[in-house]
Amino acid sequence: MKNLAIFISGGGSNMKSIIAAIEEGRIKDAKVQLVVSSSSEAGGLIFAEDKSIKTEVISYKSKPEGKIAAEILELLRENDIDYIILAGFVKVIPAEVVSVYKRRIMNIHPSLIPLFCGKGYYGIIPHQAAIGAGVRESGATVHFVDEGVDTGTIILQEKCPVYEGDSAEELQKRVLKIEHEIYPRAIAMVLSGEVE
Ligand code: GRF
């Protein structure tokens, strides 16, 4: 059994799709042991609590990176965490944590990396950029997390069309549907050893 910690900052729709995939047996031998949020206001916290999953809020405010890293590592140790699943977590994971959890931290990004990603590309911005660039397809990418922003090895990508006259919000909705489908699949691939 692998223990997962899901890190969120907002509504947590990807977190919900992962929890559903575990409940339905599409991700096997895994348990969401902990949900960590960068904000006490994150809507996803209530969902996790309703599912009786332990939650923690971690504040990055006025703390040096070393202290944040120590706090995160302590939480992961206390809860016996094997994998960190970033699902809309808006803060950067400290390098020290990345080095302890090499190839055991995953993230989802709402574009076809290496397009429209990196520092500053979060929320609606990747979709505005895709539409602004006039691309005919976009999509989502699940990747391992390394020391950079959206630079780790790609695990799974899936495309969707960008239609003439699409708004960024319409594209965001289409991509989010793909996210909910590929993130559980990518996690299952990593946990089963199909990807390492
Ligand atoms: C998703 O688009 C994800 O790709 C990005 O942040 C958003 C989080 O959405 N990293 P949610 O909180 O999972 O609904």
Side-chain angles (χ1 to χ4, degrees), residues 132-192:
V135 293
R136 283 287 155 255
E137 50 189 23
S138 191
T141 305
V142 181
H143 62 94
F144 285 117
V145 172
D146 64 8
E147 285 76 8
V149 179
D150 300 332
T151 52
T153 305
I154 291 171
I155 302 165
L156 201 55
Q157 281 188 310
E158 195 154 310
K159 295 177 192 168
C160 67
V162 180
Y163 298 117
E164 195 77 46
D166 258 351
S167 66
E169 288 73 17
E170 283 165 332
L171 179 58
Q172 184 178 39
K173 263 195 207 150
R174 199 172 304 129
V175 171
L176 194 59
K177 260 197 183 161
I178 291 180
E179 294 182 41
H180 295 160
E181 198 255 311
I182 68 168
Y183 211 175
R185 257 169 58 207
I187 293 169
M189 282 161 69
V190 171
L191 265 51
S192 69

Side-chain angles (χ1 to χ4, degrees), residues 3-16 18-19 31-49 52-60 63 67-94 97 101 105-107 183:
N3 289 333
L4 314 183
I6 304 185
F7 282 46
I8 62 168
S9 295
S13 70
N14 277 289
M15 173 196 75
K16 291 176 194 169
I18 294 161
I19 292 171
K31 180 175 183 227
V32 180
Q33 186 73 16
L34 178 67
V35 169
V36 178
S37 174
S38 61
S39 158
S40 58
E41 314 275 284
L45 283 174
I46 295 165
F47 182 87
E49 280 156 15
S52 305
I53 298 169
K54 184 173 170 190
T55 61
E56 292 280 354
V57 174
I58 176 138
S59 162
Y60 272 50
K63 278 183 203 159
K67 175 136 176 41
I68 297 166
E71 280 181 22
I72 293 177
L73 286 170
E74 178 60 13
L75 266 182
L76 299 173
R77 197 194 53 75
E78 271 172 11
N79 292 284
D80 204 14
I81 299 300
D82 299 299
Y83 287 89
I84 302 173
I85 310 297
L86 304 182
F89 189 64
V90 294
K91 302 287 186 189
V92 173
I93 297 294
V97 178
Y101 276 79
I105 310 179
M106 288 173 247
N107 183 42
Y183 211 175

